[in-house]
Amino acid sequence: MRAHPGLVLPATLLISLCATVAAQPCTAANAGAGSAANARISRIMNRLRNVHRFGAVAVAPDGHSVAWTISERHGAKSTQVLQIAAADGSHARTVQIEHSVKSCHYSALQWSPDSHTLAFLSNCNHGKKTANQLDIYEVGVDGSQARRVSHLDGFVHELAWTPNGRELSFLYVKGDLHPIAAVSPTKPRVGVIGRTGVEHQRLAVMPARGGAVHEITPASIFVYEYDWAPAGRRVAYVGAPPPGRDNWWVAKLYTQELGLAPQVLLDPSTVNGSLHGLQIALPRWSPDGSKIAFIGGLMSDQGATGGDLYVIASHGGAPTDVTPGIDISPSWLTWTGNDTLLVSSFAGGSTRLSAFTLHGGSAATQRPLFTVPSNVSDGTFASAVSASGAHRLVAFIDSTFDAPPEIDAATLKVDAAHEPVGVVAAPHAITHANAGVKPMWGKAVSMHWHNEGFTVQGWLLFPRHYDPHKRYPMIVYVHGGPSWATRPAWPWDGYGPVPLAAMGYFVLMPNPRGSFGEGERFEQAVRRDMGYGDLRDILAGVDAVEARYPVDDSRLGLTGWSYGGFMSMFAPTQTHRFKAAVVGAGLSDWKSYYGENSIDEWMIPFFGASVYQDPKVYAKSSAINFIRNDKTPSLIVVGQYDGECPAPQSFEYWHALRAMGVPAKLVVYAGEGHAFYKPSDRRNVLLRALRWFAKYLGTKPAA
């Protein structure tokens, strides 16, 4: 979800800007919790903050080396370092950059085709005033001193080597450092609206050893993702007319030969069949250049990738869904041969790595390799793993509710054609940065229940020091999207389901219809039914938990962010089972939201039409139209510059609850977007939420 990019609120409406103004810092004490709870919260936050975090991992094509980024904590400050190690994680050495500033950021680790050089993005030679400017650096496999090879002016990401290894390519917004992401704070909207502030993100290339930068795609197409053909003379990319943060939902698939104009290979709006009007992501050329695979489906945001696997001939034609009826959601892919793909998928609430073999124009055959109960990434795309050139070694960042982050690696069994056919060594940690760190909350259990013909999965976190003879309150945490799914991961030092369990609550994290992980039929079941079928799935999950564990139904709480915030507004208008709610970046009125945001294209696939064509389907799912039924005390939090779920939606809901005499508090955080970047703000939301739930669920957080 995205919305009004750049709402500027008057000072009189910036209610409760704790931790963002100089008047008073936000601490456990002034947030109002008791001293025992304060101490407990501080210990939890310190535990989360002091865990080492991995930002990226990359396996060299020859499979002999692995690079990663890791945060290191020095007292109250945290710094990031880049390391290169042997494939088994041994002999790690830290990369040094001459004239670097004290605190550097590293991302987009990319090995050269010959495995001799690691390229990456960093701000290491930039001071505080230009800390957002990233440049390209290179270092040899021996980890000797890195050197800067570019002097860029603008936002840069998605770095890659061209197939010949002589050039580097990247997506570039020349002259503008403002991140173009849905969760980033938006710019103020001033001046002539619709004519100013349009960013042009283009594909650019430069010599690998440094030199002039050339933008090779036209300014009329905002490029989101790309991939080079094996010969290196053609590129495939997903793009749409600028402004880029608005139009990803109507993006097309292009191919372009260098020096020539782009050609539209696929326009989903003109396709008949399952892909019609849906989103496309991650185009990838086959090794022989004859076809391109991509993921297509109903997706809420760029980066939240999930759907079916499609294949289209690189010279044009109709796309083929090669995974119709599959019961998982492919999320990342790479070719291992001309007819085989290595695919990472949402599988229930876990991640599965599989090999898919194509059979002409028919459905592909899946060979599962391994499944891990975690949220896997290599620092590039959701669910991505980094693989060696022969696909024998894969590595990824791994964490669960029970184990903090480490780099995991697995060795795959490949046949004579280098196609994965099995696993030689199952995923195992090759780093031990967080050895000995134990959770401060209870165990996690994967739950399954049935509702209205669907099998629904969710994760249940137990409270700390669980006693089966006691009865506990439970908080339901609904994920964003709706096209997403909760998978286990070690939490950050802010608001989320895991700290709630650490404070003595059961926490249910359901993946109801609309979620990834159970196939496209399950995911698309939320279309034109937002808030209804998924709520019934959630309530069935609450019943399933209460049938097995000692949960007090009279002490149920509800919370979530983004689409989860919408559900935390909408559900209390449909049921009185929840006695308290904490609403993060919610959405109260789909009709006014449609007019407030500048990305109304994302809503049409979910509602089937625009609000002007079918206002009734939008009104049907708007909490504000049922507000007289809402009796649930609600804490509402939102960022001042939230571009996905704009602050007016929270004001509208807060105002309505107050008019109905329902306890409500609205907190707007200055300068924040859809995702909160300031650690003080993230922690403050947690403190306020714990106080709210303790007050209205009638429980004292565990000491």
Side-chain angles (χ1 to χ4, degrees):
M1 295 182 185
R2 303 190 200 173
H4 197 302
L7 174 70
V8 180
L9 299 176
T12 54
L13 294 184
L14 294 180
I15 301 170
S16 194
L17 295 181
C18 191
T20 61
V21 295
Q24 185 179 16
C26 276
T27 64
N30 66 48
S35 59
N38 291 347
R40 176 101 188 116
I41 292 167
S42 295
R43 288 196 296 272
I44 293 169
M45 290 180 176
N46 288 336
R47 177 71 60 86
L48 298 178
R49 190 166 52 246
N50 289 331
V51 165
H52 295 285
R53 301 283 178 174
F54 293 89
V57 60
V59 178
D62 63 10
H64 295 157
S65 303
V66 180
W68 60 70
T69 67
I70 183 173
S71 64
E72 291 186 342
R73 192 153 194 89
H74 304 281
K77 296 183 178 181
S78 179
T79 60
Q80 190 185 49
V81 297
L82 170 62
Q83 296 180 325
I84 297 176
D88 61 0
S90 64
H91 303 98
R93 48 212 179 273
T94 298
V95 173
Q96 302 295 328
I97 297 180
E98 186 178 6
H99 307 305
S100 66
V101 296
K102 291 183 179 179
S103 180
C104 298
H105 178 76
Y106 306 89
S107 62
L109 311 184
Q110 295 291 325
W111 287 99
S112 59
D114 62 8
S115 300
H116 293 167
T117 305
L118 178 71
F120 57 94
L121 297 176
S122 180
N123 62 350
C124 267
N125 292 131
H126 295 281
K128 186 175 182 180
K129 292 183 179 180
T130 55
N132 291 332
Q133 179 63 68
L134 302 179
D135 269 299
I136 304 171
Y137 293 76
E138 292 178 358
V139 65
V141 67
D142 60 357
S144 58
Q145 186 167 288
R147 72 182 193 96
R148 179 179 174 184
V149 298
S150 73
H151 291 80
L152 300 174
D153 174 26
F155 182 60
V156 56
H157 64 120
E158 207 164 322
L159 180 68
W161 292 83
T162 58
N164 62 20
R166 295 193 295 269
E167 294 173 307
L168 290 162
S169 60
F170 47 91
L171 296 182
Y172 192 32
V173 184
K174 188 175 182 179
D176 192 339
L177 284 175
H178 192 270
I180 304 174
V183 298
S184 303
T186 56
K187 298 177 181 178
R189 281 208 149 184
V190 295
V192 181
I193 303 303
R195 293 187 182 180
T196 60
V198 176
E199 306 97 342
H200 298 275
Q201 181 163 279
R202 303 166 70 179
L203 178 60
V205 297
M206 62 170 287
R209 302 301 291 174
V213 174
H214 298 282
E215 294 173 299
I216 62 174
T217 56
S220 59
I221 301 176
F222 188 102
V223 179
Y224 297 98
E225 298 165 354
Y226 70 96
D227 189 47
W228 289 99
R233 294 297 305 170
R234 297 178 71 195
V235 64
Y237 53 87
V238 176
R245 69 168 67 240
D246 299 353
N247 290 330
W248 175 77
W249 293 267
V250 293
K252 303 173 185 178
L253 178 61
Y254 294 84
T255 58
Q256 180 178 332
E257 187 167 348
L258 297 184
L260 300 179
Q263 303 294 318
V264 176
L265 186 67
L266 174 64
D267 180 352
S269 68
T270 64
V271 173
N272 293 321
S274 60
L275 188 62
H276 177 73
L278 299 184
Q279 287 69 58
I280 53 179
L282 296 178
R284 295 293 181 262
W285 292 84
S286 62
D288 63 3
S290 66
K291 47 190 174 285
I292 297 172
F294 62 90
I295 294 171
L298 187 64
M299 296 178 248
S300 303
D301 277 301
Q302 184 192 7
T305 303
D308 279 349
L309 292 176
Y310 287 81
V311 175
I312 187 171
S314 60
H315 56 75
T320 299
D321 183 351
V322 299
T323 56
I326 198 171
D327 61 355
I328 59 177
S329 302
S331 183
W332 173 88
L333 70 153
T334 189
W335 291 89
T336 63
N338 290 321
D339 292 303
T340 307
L341 291 155
L342 187 65
V343 179
S344 184
S345 306
F346 287 84
S350 298
T351 304
R352 179 184 299 171
L353 191 70
S354 306
F356 282 81
T357 301
L358 306 181
H359 302 282
S362 61
T365 301
Q366 179 189 182
R367 182 186 298 111
L369 299 172
F370 61 78
T371 301
V372 289
S374 55
N375 192 0
V376 164
S377 175
D378 69 351
T380 58
F381 301 98
S383 309
V385 303
S386 181
S388 63
H391 304 100
R392 287 189 174 91
L393 179 67
V394 296
F396 49 89
I397 305 165
D398 189 26
S399 72
T400 68
F401 293 130
D402 301 322
E406 299 290 356
I407 301 296
D408 276 17
T411 305
L412 304 182
K413 181 180 180 181
V414 298
D415 61 17
H418 302 294
E419 306 297 342
V421 296
V423 177
V424 175
H428 59 282
I430 61 171
T431 62
H432 306 283
N434 294 306
V437 176
K438 302 297 182 183
M440 300 178 71
W441 43 88
K443 67 178 181 179
V445 174
S446 179
M447 298 276 298
H448 292 82
W449 59 92
H450 299 281
N451 188 51
E452 301 177 355
F454 290 119
T455 297
V456 187
Q457 187 274 341
W459 289 95
L460 180 67
L461 274 177
F462 278 58
R464 179 177 170 85
H465 302 315
Y466 168 66
D467 181 350
H469 302 293
K470 292 175 56 179
R471 289 178 65 77
Y472 290 88
M474 183 169 76
I475 297 170
V476 176
Y477 194 102
V478 185
H479 65 69
S483 303
W484 192 245
T486 294
R487 294 180 290 187
W490 192 266
W492 292 85
D493 61 332
Y495 188 56
V498 177
L500 296 173
M503 296 302 292
Y505 299 95
F506 270 103
V507 181
L508 175 63
M509 295 162 282
N511 289 315
R513 70 188 73 179
S515 304
F516 295 148
E518 305 290 345
E520 276 291 287
R521 175 176 170 267
F522 183 79
E523 181 191 338
Q524 297 196 28
V526 76
R527 299 177 82 175
R528 297 180 63 84
D529 193 43
M530 307 277 265
Y532 288 97
D534 41 354
L535 177 57
R536 294 193 298 273
D537 288 345
I538 290 168
L539 293 176
V542 172
D543 292 339
V545 173
E546 291 182 355
R548 293 180 57 182
Y549 302 107
V551 169
D552 185 348
D553 188 69
S554 68
R555 295 191 289 166
L556 295 178
L558 179 65
T559 189
W561 206 275
S562 193
Y563 190 83
F566 154 69
M567 288 296 293
S568 299
M569 290 179 175
F570 185 75
T573 71
Q574 308 297 309
T575 177
H576 293 154
R577 289 187 71 175
F578 300 106
K579 307 307 178 187
V582 174
V583 181
L587 194 159
S588 59
D589 185 350
W590 287 101
K591 292 176 70 177
S592 62
Y593 171 79
Y594 196 101
E596 290 166 359
N597 77 68
S598 60
I599 52 162
D600 45 25
E601 297 289 354
W602 91 263
M603 303 164 73
I604 294 176
F606 286 90
F607 287 94
S610 76
V611 71
Y612 312 117
Q613 296 168 321
D614 190 357
K616 290 183 179 179
V617 72
Y618 287 83
K620 166 188 169 184
S621 294
S622 294
I624 207 71
N625 292 334
F626 308 98
I627 200 66
R628 293 182 64 180
N629 300 329
D630 195 334
K631 309 298 181 186
T632 304
S634 296
L635 169 66
I636 308 150
V637 298
V638 67
Q640 178 188 8
Y641 294 125
D642 190 333
E644 287 216 19
C645 296
Q649 291 293 308
S650 293
F651 276 96
E652 194 170 345
Y653 185 67
W654 166 76
H655 188 279
L657 289 183
R658 290 185 67 203
M660 296 297 106
V662 178
K665 178 180 288 187
L666 173 61
V667 186
V668 180
Y669 287 81
E672 294 285 13
H674 194 60
F676 285 12
Y677 289 95
K678 302 173 188 175
S680 59
D681 288 348
R682 296 200 303 266
R683 293 192 292 271
N684 183 249
V685 174
L686 173 59
L687 293 168
R688 290 182 179 278
L690 289 169
R691 182 189 180 194
W692 195 263
F693 283 130
K695 179 178 180 179
Y696 289 103
L697 298 186
T699 183
K700 294 182 179 179

